[in-house]
Amino acid sequence: MRRALAQVVFALGLPAVLFAVWWVASDTSTQVYSPPLRTILTAFGDVWTGDRISADVLPSILRLLAGFSVAAVLGVAAGIVIGSYRRVRAATEPVLEFLRAVPPPVLVPVIMLFAGIGDTMKIFVIASGCVWPVLLNTVEGVRAVDPVLSETARAYGLRGGVRLRHLLLRSASPQIFTGLRQALSIGIILMVISEMFAASNGLGFAIVQFQRGFAIPEMWSGILLLGLLGFLLSVLLQLVERRALAWYHGLRASRRQP
């Protein structure tokens, strides 16, 4: 209990200090574009009510989860295939490096031409950016499978789905989760960007509307909400990771013991 409390205090200590500094530094501000934090927090309570949450926040979260899930499935599946076969990796590496170098926001107008301006376009944009860290980390995770374990699995005749589940996925899972953590932050950025183009709802759409209407405290409240959303999703992903990789963290802890 004391350890959990200490972790909570450690995690929230720096954000609390930063908010306190922001509150004091902006308390007497008369600048239109940098209002006092208390004004922003007041606007936060007024704007992000039940109607606004159902109209803008929930659609954004659903798009983010859909795009993130598509990227996770495609990235892990393609990463296992590419990482398992050296010739496939050699053949696909130039194409992967080329596609990875293209910033996903640049593709938004192109994706709009093919996918329209609905939710499909936004999910596709999110997935197109999130897939790369998942894929590349999965490839490296599969390549790093212990050769002794691989030979042992081959000697015992483990093939197909059994080999995939008990050797490849299990061995690569730490790096797969590393890719998922990186993809989550990219997904939030792309969610906002995709909602700034031809959208009628969503957090990105709402923030742009506030900015265009010179509702500056409301705009800042939307940015704060994005930060809180990213923090909560990151915490949820860490909880899933700790449960899924309990064996890995236990192994590392046992190795650190004298």
Side-chain angles (χ1 to χ4, degrees):
M1 184 65 184
R2 293 180 59 185
R3 182 178 179 183
L5 182 61
Q7 289 179 341
V8 171
V9 172
F10 187 78
L12 299 180
L14 181 58
V17 171
L18 292 177
F19 265 90
V21 172
W22 186 4
W23 182 288
V24 173
S26 65
D27 192 46
T28 58
S29 174
T30 57
Q31 297 292 325
V32 175
Y33 298 111
S34 56
L37 179 56
R38 52 184 166 78
T39 305
I40 297 172
L41 294 179
T42 302
F44 190 100
D46 295 335
V47 172
W48 303 110
T49 58
D51 292 339
R52 180 71 74 172
I53 288 175
S54 60
D56 290 317
V57 179
L58 287 181
S60 292
I61 293 175
L62 292 176
R63 290 165 190 152
L64 173 62
L65 294 179
F68 183 79
S69 300
V70 170
V73 172
L74 292 179
V76 171
I80 288 175
V81 174
I82 295 171
S84 299
Y85 302 99
R86 186 171 56 187
R87 290 184 178 179
V88 175
R89 188 167 62 251
T92 57
E93 188 170 10
V95 177
L96 294 179
E97 291 298 331
F98 173 80
L99 294 176
R100 189 179 64 160
V102 179
V106 176
L107 298 176
V108 173
V110 179
I111 295 174
M112 286 174 63
L113 294 176
F114 294 98
I117 59 175
D119 288 343
T120 303
M121 178 273 287
K122 298 172 182 61
I123 294 171
F124 196 92
V125 169
I126 295 169
S128 67
C130 291
V131 71
W132 299 112
V134 182
L135 190 153
L136 296 176
N137 277 281
T138 304
V139 170
E140 293 305 316
V142 172
R143 288 183 62 188
V145 172
D146 190 338
V148 176
L149 290 177
S150 184
E151 289 298 325
T152 303
R154 185 176 292 110
Y156 279 93
L158 299 181
R159 301 181 186 281
V162 177
R163 184 173 185 272
L164 171 66
R165 179 182 176 186
H166 294 286
L167 179 63
L168 296 182
L169 284 178
R170 191 175 179 85
S171 300
S173 55
Q175 288 191 263
I176 290 175
F177 272 98
T178 300
L180 291 174
R181 288 199 303 272
Q182 296 171 351
L184 180 60
S185 58
I186 295 174
I188 293 174
I189 295 171
L190 292 177
M191 176 194 75
V192 175
I193 292 175
S194 67
E195 290 174 349
M196 289 179 174
F197 292 88
S200 59
N201 61 6
L203 279 169
F205 169 78
I207 291 173
V208 169
Q209 291 302 308
F210 290 142
Q211 183 263 334
R212 290 175 179 172
F214 291 95
I216 304 303
E218 289 77 5
M219 182 195 72
W220 277 106
S221 71
I223 296 172
L224 276 181
L225 183 60
L226 277 175
L228 290 173
L229 178 63
F231 173 75
L232 292 176
L233 291 176
S234 176
V235 169
L236 288 176
L237 184 59
Q238 287 182 19
L239 292 175
V240 174
E241 179 184 353
R242 286 183 183 178
R243 185 174 180 82
L245 298 183
W247 63 273
Y248 174 72
H249 295 301
L251 180 63
R252 291 187 61 186
S254 65
R255 287 177 176 174
R256 286 197 294 265
Q257 291 178 355

